[in-house]
């Protein structure tokens, strides 16, 4: 099962998420979207599945530093354009695997999403509402 953790390596929340996955013996690939960028198709898929309001990080400095014109009248497409131009505006981390798409790190939610089999350590993936 291929698991991709998207984020920025210096982000404290991403560090916690990486540590959690490692502690659960869950193999994953880390994708640094600050360095490598992110494609429109991935952002559109995340926004379609979870809502652009969930994917856009409005709490960060990058969003706060935007001009007032860029912050008003936000739409899905405008939010995607902003996140493409500045990947730091993507809430992190994002985890994508078959049947799992998560934004942000909440250990309880992640444990449910991965439906961990604690005896074998093997994840059985399920969709979390």
């Amino acid at each position: 099962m291929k698991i991709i953790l998207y984020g920025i390596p210096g982000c404290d929340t991403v560090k916690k998420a990486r540590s959690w996955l490692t502690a659960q013996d869950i193999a994953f690939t880390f994708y640094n979207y600050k360095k490598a960028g992110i494609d429109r198709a991935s952002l559109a898929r995340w926004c379609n599945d979870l809502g652009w309001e969930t994917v856009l990080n409005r709490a960060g400095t990058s969003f706060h530093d935007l001009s007032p014109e860029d912050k008003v009248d936000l739409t899905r497409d405008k939010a995607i354009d902003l996140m493409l131009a500045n990947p730091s505006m993507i809430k992190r981390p994002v985890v994508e695997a078959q049947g799992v798409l998560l934004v942000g790190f909440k250990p309880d939610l992640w444990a449910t999403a991965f439906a961990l089999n604690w005896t074998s350590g093997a994840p059985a993936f399920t969709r979390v509402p």
Side-chain angles (χ1 to χ4, degrees), residues 59-115:
T61 308
S62 298
F63 186 81
H64 289 290
D65 288 346
L66 288 174
S67 69
E69 297 81 27
D70 285 336
K71 292 181 191 179
V72 297
D73 299 325
L74 283 175
T75 63
R76 175 190 168 278
D77 291 336
K78 187 175 178 181
I80 288 172
D81 288 340
L82 289 171
M83 290 183 280
L84 282 170
N86 189 343
S88 293
M89 285 191 220
I90 302 169
K91 195 174 287 183
R92 41 195 190 267
V94 175
V95 170
E96 194 169 35
Q98 182 179 349
V100 175
L101 179 61
L102 302 168
V103 174
F105 176 63
K106 294 181 180 168
D108 293 344
L109 179 63
W110 281 37
T112 301
F114 287 105

Side-chain angles (χ1 to χ4, degrees), residues 32-49:
N32 181 348
Y33 57 63
K34 177 87 175 202
K35 184 176 181 179
I38 191 72
D39 60 281
R40 181 176 291 276
S42 294
L43 278 174
R45 185 174 59 254
W46 300 342
C47 289
N48 290 343
D49 288 352

